[in-house]
Amino acid sequence: MPRVFMAVVVGAALAAAGCVMQGILRNPLVSPFTLGVSTAAAFGAGIAIVMGPALFGGLYSFHVDFIGQTFSGSALVTMLFAFLFGMLSIALVIILARDERVSKATLVLSGVVVSYLFQAGLSFLKYISDDGSLRDITLWTMGNLWSATWVNLFIMIIPVIICLIYLEKISIDINTLSAGTSVANNLGTNVAKLRMHGLLVCTVVVCVCLSFTGAIGFIGLMAPHICRRLIGNDNRYLLPASALMGGLILLISDTVARNAFSSDVPVGILIYLIGGGFFIWMVVNKRWREVP
């Protein structure tokens, strides 16, 4: 049951973040994955796995029991580094988003560039790591729900709920952006502030989830587009619908990954297969490429 609930919460958070990012930046290809947040979080986790013992010494190997759950220093350090580097990756995008002269394509390309930079660092960490660390990094980058416990779920769900409530609160302002930046400003929306705060909160909720699950991509891209074709573009309804769709996608994918194979396959592998095909479909089909 903790794994089922964690799949729903993580899927909902990633989908809601993708929906808001697409609305704020007015680009259908934007998601936490395409902006480099997942890769940056993976790089942070890689640093903790490879260099954690040298950086933190005994703190890295300690264990503490809390509410019947054993927490290791290595797991806590890995989650912390994944969170911090995921937040770092969005800094460039936020800076560029504040400049109205920067095109939507440039924002997406900046996320791709940031992703490549962190991917290079992650590849270097894999090269210098030993066999045990290399396996840990590889499993983390695949994305999984193996860490699902009631305690971890409780720790995760509090910031997720707070962030989702805030994102729903600003959904009306995001609607004004569909008419253009000038119109939104004339209607009283502070576009620069909206973009900065929206992207920051989206990154927080994504990094919180990825810290527990590893890199899971494409849900923030798929769920909003599916719901947009079903219920329209009003973000007041699109955001909660996308969250429900994201939770459903990840829950079904994890159920298949657990039961359709001889071993418990990381759900990230299946999500990458589904998301890759969906991304190609969006690129070649004009009806799916446009976000009003």
Side-chain angles (χ1 to χ4, degrees), residues 131-173:
D131 291 341
S133 298
L134 179 60
R135 175 178 172 78
D136 290 340
I137 294 175
T138 302
L139 289 177
W140 202 96
T141 56
M142 289 180 182
N144 60 77
L145 298 173
W146 298 338
S147 65
T149 63
W150 288 116
V151 176
N152 287 347
L153 180 63
F154 179 76
I155 295 173
M156 175 196 297
I157 201 170
I158 294 176
V160 167
I161 290 176
I162 294 174
C163 290
L164 292 185
I165 291 174
Y166 176 81
L167 294 178
E168 179 64 25
K169 181 181 177 181
I170 65 174
S171 61
I172 297 178
D173 292 330

Side-chain angles (χ1 to χ4, degrees), residues 52 78 99 138 140 158 163 174 183 197 200 202 221 225 234 252:
T78 300
D99 190 347
T138 302
W140 202 96
I158 294 176
C163 290
I174 297 175
V183 175
H197 289 180
L200 183 61
C202 286
L221 180 69
H225 282 285
D234 190 338
I252 294 175

Side-chain angles (χ1 to χ4, degrees), residues 64-71 149 151:
V64 61
D65 293 327
F66 178 71
I67 320 180
Q69 174 77 23
T70 300
F71 291 94
T149 63
V151 176

Side-chain angles (χ1 to χ4, degrees), residues 196-244:
M196 182 177 65
H197 289 180
L199 288 174
L200 183 61
V201 173
C202 286
T203 307
V204 169
V205 71
V206 169
C207 290
V208 167
C209 293
L210 296 187
S211 298
F212 287 90
T213 65
I216 297 178
F218 286 115
I219 291 180
L221 180 69
M222 292 188 291
H225 282 285
I226 294 173
C227 292
R228 191 173 285 114
R229 299 304 169 184
L230 295 175
I231 67 172
N233 301 293
D234 190 338
N235 285 278
R236 294 175 298 173
Y237 311 110
L238 180 61
L239 193 150
S242 298
L244 292 174

Side-chain angles (χ1 to χ4, degrees), residues 88-168:
L88 179 63
S89 70
I90 208 67
L92 177 61
V93 179
I94 292 178
I95 293 173
L96 291 175
R98 297 177 64 181
D99 190 347
E100 298 180 2
R101 296 171 297 178
V102 176
S103 66
K104 295 181 290 183
T106 302
L107 289 173
V108 177
L109 289 175
S110 68
V112 173
V113 170
V114 170
S115 179
Y116 281 138
L117 291 175
F118 283 111
Q119 185 61 53
L122 184 62
S123 298
F124 176 74
L125 290 173
K126 290 180 179 180
Y127 178 75
I128 64 174
S129 63
D130 55 30
D131 291 341
S133 298
L134 179 60
R135 175 178 172 78
D136 290 340
I137 294 175
T138 302
L139 289 177
W140 202 96
T141 56
M142 289 180 182
N144 60 77
L145 298 173
W146 298 338
S147 65
T149 63
W150 288 116
V151 176
N152 287 347
L153 180 63
F154 179 76
I155 295 173
M156 175 196 297
I157 201 170
I158 294 176
V160 167
I161 290 176
I162 294 174
C163 290
L164 292 185
I165 291 174
Y166 176 81
L167 294 178
E168 179 64 25

